[in-house]
Amino acid sequence: MKKGVTINGFVCKPSNNVTANDFFFDGLKNPGQIISPLGSVVTPANVLNITGLNTLGVSLARVDFAPGGVNQPHTHPRATEIIFVLEGELEVGFITTANVLISKTIMVGEVFTFPKGLVHFQINNGAGNAAILAALNSQLPGTQAIAVTLFAASPPVPDNVLAKAFQIGTMEVDNIKSGLASKY
Amino acid sequence: MKKGVTINGFVCKPSNNVTANDFFFDGLKNPGQIISPLGSVVTPANVLNITGLNTLGVSLARVDFAPGGVNQPHTHPRATEIIFVLEGELEVGFITTANVLISKTIMVGEVFTFPKGLVHFQINNGAGNAAILAALNSQLPGTQAIAVTLFAASPPVPDNVLAKAFQIGTMEVDNIKSGLASKY
Amino acid sequence: MKKGVTINGFVCKPSNNVTANDFFFDGLKNPGQIISPLGSVVTPANVLNITGLNTLGVSLARVDFAPGGVNQPHTHPRATEIIFVLEGELEVGFITTANVLISKTIMVGEVFTFPKGLVHFQINNGAGNAAILAALNSQLPGTQAIAVTLFAASPPVPDNVLAKAFQIGTMEVDNIKSGLASKY
Amino acid sequence: MKKGVTINGFVCKPSNNVTANDFFFDGLKNPGQIISPLGSVVTPANVLNITGLNTLGVSLARVDFAPGGVNQPHTHPRATEIIFVLEGELEVGFITTANVLISKTIMVGEVFTFPKGLVHFQINNGAGNAAILAALNSQLPGTQAIAVTLFAASPPVPDNVLAKAFQIGTMEVDNIKSGLASKY
Amino acid sequence: MKKGVTINGFVCKPSNNVTANDFFFDGLKNPGQIISPLGSVVTPANVLNITGLNTLGVSLARVDFAPGGVNQPHTHPRATEIIFVLEGELEVGFITTANVLISKTIMVGEVFTFPKGLVHFQINNGAGNAAILAALNSQLPGTQAIAVTLFAASPPVPDNVLAKAFQIGTMEVDNIKSGLASKY
Amino acid sequence: MKKGVTINGFVCKPSNNVTANDFFFDGLKNPGQIISPLGSVVTPANVLNITGLNTLGVSLARVDFAPGGVNQPHTHPRATEIIFVLEGELEVGFITTANVLISKTIMVGEVFTFPKGLVHFQINNGAGNAAILAALNSQLPGTQAIAVTLFAASPPVPDNVLAKAFQIGTMEVDNIKSGLASKY
């Protein structure tokens, strides 16, 4: 249990103890280490890293991509996201509630927006590495990586739910589940 | 183009023209007709049906299930949902951002909650029909049915994105895409 | 005093201790017992019953009515309400800030809306029982039953305030007060 | 129909046409004229008088009281209120959702708070005039004067609803209704 | 460290311990004592003085002015302000984000608005004292008096930042800094 | 006057006309041209450039600095800001409402936060160019550059207000005003 006066469940320092380091983070400085089979890695900079963000409604994240790397389709349940390409080029997209894919290839220094709560992805189709900086309007936006959410949750989502949803057999469901399990 | 003073893009009637029908809806009265291969149908009651809901931050929906019917994994980008079972029994669940499935079998008259923006589902494992009433804290919560969002958007989500995400081959991706396309 | 990290004054479980029961409630399953002289009873399903609703901004309530039963004019200071008729038929209404009554008789399966903070009521003019499910966009909407608020608060609202407001004598005020006191 | 770009249903001037008068109001300068049988009068200063308040979330009102005057029990569906006594002394109070009256006699220059949406009142039990300035955290808080809302709405709230609520006979209901109708 | 259940970092009393004094404040009753070289003094009435304001989103302040007194240019980072002149006359103004000064001379009983977060000021150019009541839509709006923020913070804002901003020499910056330091 | 259904005063396209370009911006790609005497330039990427940001509550900006360049003390009345250093190193700081300067020198890839509405600045004390990407939790955060707001508004802020605030003579006020006027 934390001690002290809390707001939003986070301890608030007495204002005379606050220092610049409460508003600072150096964890986005270098590319993250890519060990995922997806060929990408996300490094967040939110209220868990920067305590001064508490109640302030914004955060950042850095995503690094190997060639061919994918930041798989995912949602942020509590935030809109706007990205800036730090390096390389990426194909990015989101799907609307009318099931339309809005996508574009974006280059270094270009900006793209993923509206609140919608499924979105980025893929590095280029030959070199790529990286983006993402800004989100929540101090703790949360993430659901869709494939993992559906096929690798614990306990597992029932096979018959997934079979119906994807209109595949339960054996194919199990294959995807075991495929994902073997990779993570 | 709509005429008149608008708020949120919806026309606001002069207050002396408002009638009870602006706050009323009878479209949830009877079970929806189930024609989807999923064995379920959702009937919304939101600001598109009830103009008086504009700015008021709440809406309803009714979901009807045939035996074996599934309300496939989906999100509401702008709302929390709380359901009440009108008929039958259902297995319901949501997945947290820590990838834990929180699920339960619920009976007539029982209540369950799906936190804002998280992937959730319901399945009727019972022998008879089932139905729920869902309340959502948005006048227009929006819905993304995940399987369809990923595998049946138009234009399509690129195969290589889905292959990486689900760790399957692009041929399997195409099989799911064409399977879904043939059913809807 | 509660222990643990709190948000909104409610204890937040560590996320690995959360279970489905934190999002579940079975207290709306059966009609409430009607002992009030009003012939109705309200059973809430809010953050006090469902701890997982904390910060999520929605709740439910069930109201049961004997024949002739009334859910007296009341307000929810922190919520809009939308109702669905579970059983029977009801005359329902709210009064606008322009002092116009917006009312309608609604049947099983029909939906009606009571905008945020406005005085509203339901009455079962039918021959049988009636019941509604109410959804509200607050985890703890609060309720003020107007007659009781004015004539049965403790300590009492001063007689001269009520006499002026209702343009009646203080003896009539006292009669209403003692009448209400004898019934509750 | 209004012309121009609107926000919240109010026309927004192009910023280069904005003048100080869009943020100014002199209608609270003098005591309002008291003609109501209640012995009080409310003069609002909200977005309807001060167009520059649009989207800004605050407004004022002035209430003047003759000796014995009452600002009858009422609610603001969309705002908390905090008052400052400009002249005289007043007994003020609100009733909580636990049906407890919180009241106090306050003097010139003193401050009291009425939480969001709760029924509250002021009465001038002093020998002279009294006046308050009220601040509310909404550009258009709305008001429901309870007695008038219940007994003088148009069309009328049904007698049987009011009879049950106040536990009086319908004849007494009609007496209050006709009493109020004769005064306004 | 405070004890008890807290919301927003403020202790919430059990509702049965709440009294009228939790919603009351008499500190605005008399003019504040003017000792500042500015010839004005601000007395706040916010959640630090009125514990019942917690979560309610509104507060007051009183500002008293000697002849020639100035409430120096300042911002409230979390609130819009609307003022009412209690005594005297004042020249008041705010600057828009398009760098336009919107100003006016206002008299007793007149009202003016300062939109959220914008720099604003009041000056008493009259021969007598003046006073205003200010309402703000935050329980704790915060204040930044600009001159003091820039030239008297501790540790000091670097000279070269201020020299560039004001396009003056660092010696002039130091003169302003020492001038302010000698007065406060 | 704009045509079409508007939300927040911005035209909303029919959803079937939306394209990726509504969510895209390439104006941050290259360093802005520095012509200001401050040695810095701000390039915004907000709802005025990216129409798809409407209602979504986030935006970006790029700031480029020549050696010695300053992004002068300023506020965003409607947003918190979090920055990421794209190039070079900067001394950055904000002043709290307790008048404490919170500052730090930050390098490429490091992150710093400026809480909502507070005065903040950046200065490039390094030998080379510098650049930051800033994220703000508003689609249109607004900016007030303090020196210009106070000393170069049109019409001008009265000399006596500024003289009192800065505790300088009106001649020094006029010197600053004319100095700024000559540079912009």
Side-chain angles (χ1 to χ4, degrees):
Chain A
M1 179 176 37
K2 298 180 177 183
K3 295 194 176 182
V5 176
T6 59
I7 297 181
N8 283 354
F10 294 89
V11 176
C12 278
K13 284 192 176 181
S15 59
N16 53 345
N17 287 356
V18 167
T19 71
N21 285 334
D22 296 319
F23 298 90
F24 171 75
F25 186 57
D26 64 2
L28 303 191
K29 207 162 177 171
N30 299 310
Q33 194 186 350
I34 299 173
I35 54 173
S36 155
L38 294 166
S40 73
V41 60
V42 179
T43 311
N46 58 35
V47 71
L48 300 175
N49 315 113
I50 307 173
T51 56
L53 278 177
N54 193 21
T55 76
L56 291 182
V58 78
S59 59
L60 295 177
R62 175 188 179 124
V63 193
D64 291 286
F65 301 82
V70 171
N71 188 6
Q72 67 171 306
H74 64 283
T75 65
H76 304 293
R78 295 183 289 270
T80 292
E81 178 177 344
I82 183 166
I83 62 169
F84 174 92
V85 182
L86 294 172
E87 179 187 3
E89 72 175 64
L90 292 151
E91 183 176 355
V92 303
F94 66 88
I95 300 99
T96 71
T97 53
N99 221 21
V100 175
L101 173 67
I102 304 287
S103 70
K104 194 170 177 75
T105 298
I106 59 173
M107 310 291 184
V108 170
E110 293 182 343
V111 167
F112 202 80
T113 308
F114 306 112
K116 187 169 186 174
L118 296 186
V119 174
H120 60 285
F121 63 87
Q122 300 104 25
I123 180 167
N124 177 10
N125 288 323
N129 289 333
I132 59 173
L133 189 73
L136 301 112
N137 61 344
S138 165
Q139 68 179 43
L140 195 60
T143 299
Q144 289 204 296
I146 298 299
V148 171
T149 294
L150 294 181
F151 290 90
S154 166
V157 175
D159 280 11
N160 54 357
V161 169
L162 296 170
K164 270 276 170 80
F166 289 87
Q167 295 283 311
I168 56 179
T170 53
M171 195 184 307
E172 289 163 280
V173 169
D174 286 340
N175 283 344
I176 298 175
K177 284 184 172 175
S178 58
L180 283 170
S182 71
K183 297 294 175 38
Y184 287 95
Chain B
M1 180 174 38
K2 298 181 177 183
K3 296 193 174 182
V5 176
T6 59
I7 297 181
N8 283 352
F10 294 89
V11 176
C12 277
K13 285 191 177 182
S15 60
N16 53 344
N17 287 357
V18 167
T19 71
N21 285 335
D22 296 319
F23 299 90
F24 171 76
F25 186 57
D26 63 1
L28 303 191
K29 207 164 178 171
N30 299 309
Q33 195 185 349
I34 300 171
I35 54 175
S36 154
L38 293 167
S40 74
V41 60
V42 179
T43 311
N46 58 35
V47 70
L48 299 175
N49 315 113
I50 307 173
T51 57
L53 277 176
N54 193 20
T55 76
L56 291 183
V58 78
S59 59
L60 295 176
R62 175 188 179 125
V63 193
D64 291 287
F65 300 83
V70 171
N71 188 7
Q72 67 170 305
H74 63 284
T75 65
H76 303 293
R78 295 183 290 270
T80 292
E81 178 176 343
I82 183 167
I83 63 168
F84 173 92
V85 182
L86 294 171
E87 180 187 3
E89 73 175 64
L90 292 151
E91 183 177 353
V92 303
F94 66 88
I95 300 98
T96 71
T97 53
N99 221 21
V100 175
L101 173 67
I102 304 287
S103 71
K104 194 171 178 73
T105 299
I106 59 173
M107 311 290 184
V108 171
E110 293 181 343
V111 167
F112 203 80
T113 308
F114 306 111
K116 187 169 186 172
L118 297 185
V119 174
H120 59 285
F121 64 87
Q122 300 104 25
I123 181 166
N124 176 10
N125 288 322
N129 290 332
I132 59 172
L133 189 72
L136 302 112
N137 61 344
S138 166
Q139 67 179 42
L140 195 60
T143 298
Q144 289 204 296
I146 299 298
V148 171
T149 293
L150 294 181
F151 289 89
S154 166
V157 175
D159 279 12
N160 55 356
V161 169
L162 295 170
K164 269 276 171 80
F166 289 89
Q167 296 284 310
I168 55 180
T170 55
M171 195 185 308
E172 288 164 281
V173 169
D174 286 340
N175 283 344
I176 298 175
K177 283 183 173 176
S178 59
L180 282 170
S182 71
K183 296 295 175 37
Y184 285 95
Chain C
M1 180 174 36
K2 298 181 177 182
K3 296 194 174 180
V5 176
T6 59
I7 297 181
N8 283 353
F10 294 88
V11 176
C12 277
K13 283 191 179 182
S15 59
N16 53 344
N17 288 356
V18 167
T19 71
N21 285 335
D22 296 318
F23 298 89
F24 171 75
F25 186 56
D26 64 1
L28 303 190
K29 207 164 177 169
N30 300 308
Q33 195 186 349
I34 299 172
I35 54 176
S36 154
L38 293 166
S40 74
V41 60
V42 179
T43 311
N46 58 35
V47 71
L48 300 176
N49 315 113
I50 306 173
T51 56
L53 278 176
N54 193 20
T55 76
L56 292 182
V58 77
S59 60
L60 295 177
R62 176 188 178 124
V63 193
D64 291 286
F65 301 82
V70 171
N71 188 7
Q72 66 171 307
H74 64 284
T75 65
H76 303 294
R78 295 183 290 270
T80 292
E81 179 177 343
I82 183 166
I83 63 169
F84 174 91
V85 182
L86 294 171
E87 180 187 4
E89 73 174 66
L90 292 151
E91 183 176 356
V92 304
F94 66 88
I95 300 97
T96 71
T97 52
N99 222 20
V100 175
L101 174 67
I102 304 287
S103 70
K104 192 170 179 74
T105 299
I106 59 173
M107 311 291 183
V108 171
E110 293 182 343
V111 167
F112 203 80
T113 308
F114 306 111
K116 187 169 185 174
L118 297 185
V119 174
H120 59 285
F121 63 87
Q122 301 104 24
I123 181 167
N124 176 12
N125 287 322
N129 290 333
I132 59 173
L133 189 74
L136 301 112
N137 62 344
S138 165
Q139 67 180 42
L140 196 58
T143 299
Q144 288 204 296
I146 298 298
V148 170
T149 293
L150 294 180
F151 290 91
S154 168
V157 175
D159 279 12
N160 55 356
V161 169
L162 297 169
K164 269 276 169 82
F166 289 88
Q167 295 283 312
I168 56 180
T170 54
M171 195 185 306
E172 288 164 279
V173 169
D174 287 340
N175 282 344
I176 298 175
K177 284 183 172 176
S178 58
L180 281 171
S182 71
K183 297 295 175 38
Y184 287 95
Chain D
M1 178 174 38
K2 298 181 176 183
K3 295 191 175 183
V5 176
T6 59
I7 296 181
N8 283 352
F10 294 88
V11 176
C12 278
K13 284 191 177 182
S15 59
N16 54 344
N17 287 355
V18 167
T19 71
N21 285 335
D22 296 319
F23 298 90
F24 171 74
F25 186 57
D26 64 1
L28 303 191
K29 206 164 177 170
N30 299 309
Q33 195 186 351
I34 299 172
I35 55 175
S36 154
L38 293 167
S40 74
V41 59
V42 179
T43 311
N46 58 35
V47 71
L48 299 175
N49 315 112
I50 306 173
T51 57
L53 278 177
N54 193 21
T55 76
L56 291 183
V58 77
S59 59
L60 295 177
R62 176 189 178 124
V63 193
D64 291 286
F65 301 83
V70 171
N71 188 6
Q72 66 171 305
H74 63 283
T75 66
H76 303 294
R78 295 183 290 271
T80 292
E81 179 176 343
I82 183 167
I83 63 169
F84 174 91
V85 181
L86 294 171
E87 179 187 5
E89 73 174 66
L90 292 152
E91 183 177 355
V92 303
F94 67 87
I95 300 97
T96 71
T97 52
N99 222 21
V100 174
L101 173 67
I102 304 287
S103 70
K104 193 170 178 74
T105 298
I106 59 173
M107 310 291 184
V108 170
E110 293 182 343
V111 167
F112 202 80
T113 308
F114 306 111
K116 187 169 185 173
L118 296 186
V119 174
H120 59 285
F121 63 88
Q122 301 103 27
I123 181 167
N124 177 10
N125 287 323
N129 290 332
I132 59 173
L133 189 73
L136 301 111
N137 62 343
S138 165
Q139 67 180 44
L140 195 60
T143 299
Q144 289 204 297
I146 298 297
V148 171
T149 294
L150 294 181
F151 290 92
S154 166
V157 174
D159 280 11
N160 54 357
V161 169
L162 296 169
K164 269 277 169 79
F166 289 88
Q167 295 284 312
I168 55 179
T170 54
M171 195 184 307
E172 289 163 279
V173 170
D174 286 341
N175 282 345
I176 298 176
K177 283 182 173 178
S178 58
L180 282 170
S182 71
K183 297 294 175 37
Y184 286 95
Chain E
M1 180 175 36
K2 297 180 177 185
K3 294 193 176 184
V5 177
T6 59
I7 296 181
N8 284 351
F10 294 90
V11 176
C12 278
K13 283 192 177 180
S15 59
N16 54 344
N17 287 356
V18 168
T19 72
N21 285 335
D22 296 319
F23 299 90
F24 171 75
F25 186 57
D26 64 2
L28 303 191
K29 207 164 177 170
N30 299 310
Q33 195 186 349
I34 299 172
I35 54 174
S36 155
L38 293 166
S40 74
V41 59
V42 179
T43 312
N46 58 34
V47 70
L48 299 175
N49 315 112
I50 306 173
T51 56
L53 278 177
N54 193 20
T55 77
L56 291 182
V58 78
S59 60
L60 294 177
R62 175 188 178 124
V63 193
D64 291 286
F65 301 82
V70 171
N71 187 7
Q72 66 171 305
H74 64 283
T75 65
H76 303 293
R78 295 183 291 270
T80 292
E81 179 177 343
I82 183 167
I83 62 168
F84 174 92
V85 182
L86 294 172
E87 180 187 3
E89 74 176 64
L90 292 151
E91 184 177 355
V92 303
F94 66 88
I95 300 98
T96 71
T97 53
N99 221 21
V100 175
L101 173 67
I102 303 286
S103 70
K104 193 171 177 74
T105 298
I106 59 174
M107 311 290 185
V108 170
E110 294 182 341
V111 167
F112 203 80
T113 307
F114 306 112
K116 187 169 185 172
L118 296 185
V119 174
H120 59 286
F121 64 87
Q122 300 104 24
I123 181 167
N124 177 11
N125 288 322
N129 290 332
I132 58 172
L133 189 72
L136 302 111
N137 61 344
S138 166
Q139 68 180 42
L140 195 61
T143 298
Q144 288 203 296
I146 298 298
V148 171
T149 293
L150 294 181
F151 289 90
S154 167
V157 175
D159 278 12
N160 55 355
V161 169
L162 296 170
K164 270 274 170 82
F166 289 88
Q167 296 283 311
I168 55 180
T170 54
M171 195 184 309
E172 288 164 281
V173 169
D174 286 339
N175 282 344
I176 298 176
K177 283 183 173 177
S178 58
L180 282 170
S182 71
K183 297 294 175 37
Y184 287 95
Chain F
M1 178 176 35
K2 298 182 177 184
K3 295 192 175 184
V5 176
T6 60
I7 296 181
N8 283 352
F10 294 88
V11 176
C12 278
K13 285 193 177 180
S15 59
N16 53 343
N17 288 356
V18 167
T19 72
N21 285 335
D22 296 319
F23 300 90
F24 171 75
F25 186 58
D26 64 1
L28 303 191
K29 208 163 177 171
N30 299 309
Q33 196 187 348
I34 299 173
I35 53 174
S36 156
L38 293 166
S40 73
V41 60
V42 180
T43 311
N46 59 34
V47 70
L48 300 175
N49 315 112
I50 307 173
T51 56
L53 277 177
N54 192 19
T55 77
L56 291 183
V58 78
S59 59
L60 295 176
R62 175 187 178 124
V63 193
D64 291 287
F65 301 82
V70 171
N71 188 6
Q72 66 171 305
H74 63 283
T75 65
H76 303 294
R78 295 183 289 272
T80 292
E81 178 177 343
I82 183 167
I83 62 169
F84 174 93
V85 182
L86 294 172
E87 180 187 3
E89 72 175 66
L90 292 151
E91 184 177 354
V92 303
F94 66 88
I95 300 98
T96 71
T97 53
N99 221 21
V100 174
L101 172 67
I102 304 287
S103 71
K104 194 171 177 74
T105 299
I106 59 174
M107 310 291 184
V108 171
E110 294 182 343
V111 167
F112 203 80
T113 308
F114 306 112
K116 187 170 186 173
L118 296 186
V119 174
H120 60 285
F121 64 87
Q122 299 104 26
I123 180 167
N124 177 10
N125 288 323
N129 290 333
I132 58 171
L133 188 73
L136 302 110
N137 62 343
S138 166
Q139 67 179 43
L140 195 59
T143 299
Q144 290 204 296
I146 297 300
V148 171
T149 293
L150 293 181
F151 289 89
S154 166
V157 174
D159 279 11
N160 55 357
V161 168
L162 295 170
K164 270 275 171 81
F166 289 88
Q167 296 283 312
I168 55 179
T170 54
M171 195 184 306
E172 289 163 280
V173 169
D174 286 340
N175 283 344
I176 299 175
K177 284 182 172 177
S178 58
L180 282 170
S182 71
K183 297 294 176 37
Y184 287 95

